[in-house]
């Protein structure tokens, strides 16, 4: 029997995409022997209603710039539509029907994992993919382990821990820094930094 394909999904608002997202994607590719990682900007995330920030086209363009020179990263527009909210369970359902030979690895930070019970259809998500969780916000490793164990029990989920260090970086901080003229170099890829500075997307130049 042919071996099944393994594909990672890095979902997010990516407003903007930053080194934290990229390191998570690269580490998951490496640690779980993934064929590729899909970077999937969300068109209308239900947990960010009333979001101000970059437009969908701008977030998408920054993701494109960030992933274009990595041969195993890919921009996916699977969640980039605007009518209604975007739900991971539906995305997974569509992808699995279109690619029945593929197992999906959904990559997330600990903050997302802590909110997982509030996602739409957590059971259905767990039934359809492997979850990959990375530490964040200086959460003690034991706390992340406890949360993983709890979700494993509750949803019979396949959850793996990603072995990345705590990466103290967020889109929120980058937006703030760009707005007040503080340097964001090295927190985002150079091409993304140039895009932010040239477009003035997060405020006055
Ligand atoms: P914001 O500050 O606007 O909420 P963010 O930095 O949290 O942005 P998102 O687009 O909301 O970025 O996150 C997408 C996914 O990446 C989420 O699962 C989030 O947990 C994860 N993530 C983002 N930054 C990090 C980081 N520094 N370490 C670990 N996971 C991260
Ligand atoms: Mg976030």
């Amino acid at each position: 029997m042919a071996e099944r394909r393994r594909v990672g999904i890095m979902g997010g608002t990516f407003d903007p995409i930053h080194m934290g997202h990229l390191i998570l994607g690269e580490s998951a590719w490496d640690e779980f022997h993934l064929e590729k990682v899909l970077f999937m900007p969300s068109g209308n995330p239900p947990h960010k209603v009333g979001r101000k920030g970059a437009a969908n086209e701008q977030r998408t363009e920054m993701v494109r710039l960030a992933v274009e020179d990595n041969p195993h990263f890919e921009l996916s527009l699977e969640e980039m539509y605007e009518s209604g909210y975007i739900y991971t369970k539906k995305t997974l359902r569509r992808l699995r029907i279109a690619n029945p030979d593929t197992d999906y690895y959904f990559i997330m930070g600990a903050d997302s994992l802590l909110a997982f019970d509030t996602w739409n259809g957590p059971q259905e998500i767990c039934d359809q993919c492997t979850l990959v969780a990375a530490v964040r916000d200086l959460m003690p490793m034991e706390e992340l382990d406890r949360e993983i164990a709890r979700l494993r029990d509750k949803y019979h989920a396949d959850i793996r821990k990603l072995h990345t260090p705590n990466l103290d970086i967020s889109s929120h901080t980058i937006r703030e820094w760009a707005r007040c003229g503080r340097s964001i170099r090295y927190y985002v890829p150079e091409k993304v930094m140039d895009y932010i500075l040239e477009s003035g997307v997060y405020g006055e130049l």
Side-chain angles (χ1 to χ4, degrees), residues 47-48 111 136:
H47 61 290
K48 294 204 174 159
D111 58 315
R136 192 180 190 186

Side-chain angles (χ1 to χ4, degrees), residues 10-21 24 47-48 51 106-113 119 134-137 164-173 175:
M10 183 76 220
T13 314
F14 302 131
D15 189 16
I17 188 163
H18 56 64
M19 289 306 191
H21 302 126
L24 254 59
H47 61 290
K48 294 204 174 159
R51 182 184 65 83
F106 194 89
I107 307 159
M108 61 171 87
D111 58 315
S112 302
L113 194 73
W119 287 29
V135 77
R136 192 180 190 186
D137 302 329
T164 41
N166 190 82
L167 301 158
D168 201 357
I169 172 170
S170 72
S171 301
H172 172 81
T173 306
R175 291 194 298 275

Side-chain angles (χ1 to χ4, degrees), residues 13 15 42-54 56 59 82 84-85 172 175:
T13 314
D15 189 16
S42 176
N44 192 11
H47 61 290
K48 294 204 174 159
V49 177
R51 182 184 65 83
K52 294 194 197 76
N56 286 355
R59 293 187 293 116
E82 289 178 67
Y85 293 133
H172 172 81
R175 291 194 298 275

Side-chain angles (χ1 to χ4, degrees), residues 33-95:
H33 311 289
L34 305 179
E35 176 183 319
K36 61 182 172 182
V37 176
L38 306 175
F39 282 75
M40 215 174 264
S42 176
N44 192 11
H47 61 290
K48 294 204 174 159
V49 177
R51 182 184 65 83
K52 294 194 197 76
N56 286 355
E57 304 71 46
Q58 294 174 309
R59 293 187 293 116
T60 303
E61 178 60 10
M62 290 189 278
V63 174
R64 195 183 65 72
L65 291 169
V67 304
E68 69 183 357
D69 54 8
N70 185 329
H72 47 260
F73 281 0
E74 202 174 292
L75 165 66
S76 163
L77 298 180
E78 196 68 44
E79 295 197 328
M80 193 37 86
Y81 50 89
E82 289 178 67
S83 53
Y85 293 133
I86 314 287
Y87 292 119
T88 303
K89 68 170 188 190
K90 288 195 198 159
T91 306
L92 284 167
R93 213 184 291 152
R94 271 200 318 279
L95 286 172

